[in-house]
Amino acid sequence: MSSIVWDHVHLRSPDPEATAKWFEQKLGAEIVRAPNRIDLNLGGARIFIAPVTDGDGVNPPPVTPYQGLDHIGLAVKDIDDVAAELKGKGVEFTREPYTLRPGIRICFIRGPQGISIELLERDKKYQ
C-alpha cells in the first residue's frame, strides 16, 4: 500500500460562516474561501465546512461522549496560557487543563455544533 497521509477533516454546519468565524476568532484558523464553499487552515490541517439545511437528511449533532469519532486534538505550547486566553474569548471548557500523565497536560473545549476539541501540551522528552 502506498503511504497514507491526512488530507482534511470535514464538518457540517447549519451556519458555515459562523463556524468558520469561531475557529478563526478562538483558535486562529485561516479562513479559505472558494466559490460555493468555505474551508479552514488550522495548524496546517485543512477543514472543510459543508452547509446543513432543513430536509437534507443530516442528523443533529450527538451528545458527547459517543461511539465513533470522539474529538479532534490540537497541540499547543503553554496550555495554561492558551486556556486563559480562550477563557477570555468566552470559549466553553468541558474539562479544565490537567496532567493526564507525566509530561502530558490536556484540556477539552466545546466548538460549534458541540465539536469536542482537545488541547494537548507534551513535554519535549515525551514527544
Side-chain angles (χ1 to χ4, degrees):
M1 178 182 296
S2 62
S3 64
I4 297 173
V5 297
W6 280 100
D7 185 76
H8 68 275
V9 173
H10 196 136
L11 306 178
R12 294 185 183 270
S13 172
D15 189 343
E17 190 68 40
T19 297
K21 283 288 185 196
W22 188 95
F23 277 92
E24 178 188 48
Q25 294 170 350
K26 309 299 186 191
L27 299 178
E30 173 192 3
I31 296 176
V32 180
R33 297 180 190 283
N36 301 319
R37 63 183 297 150
I38 185 166
D39 300 337
L40 301 170
N41 180 340
L42 179 60
R46 293 188 297 181
I47 299 174
F48 301 160
I49 307 172
V52 173
T53 57
D54 288 336
D56 65 5
V58 174
N59 293 312
V63 176
T64 59
Y66 55 89
Q67 294 182 35
L69 179 61
D70 183 68
H71 66 272
I72 60 173
L74 304 173
V76 300
K77 293 181 181 177
D78 303 316
I79 194 168
D80 295 303
D81 291 343
V82 170
E85 182 180 339
L86 291 173
K87 285 179 184 178
K89 294 178 178 181
V91 172
E92 177 187 353
F93 279 72
T94 57
R95 182 105 192 233
E96 294 289 328
Y98 72 100
T99 301
L100 178 64
R101 59 182 177 269
I104 308 289
R105 285 186 51 77
I106 68 172
C107 65
F108 285 86
I109 61 175
R110 186 176 324 278
Q113 289 75 57
I115 298 167
S116 183
I117 301 168
E118 176 186 5
L119 304 178
L120 170 101
E121 177 182 15
R122 290 184 195 272
D123 185 292
K124 288 181 183 175
K125 63 184 172 183
Y126 294 96
Q127 296 201 15

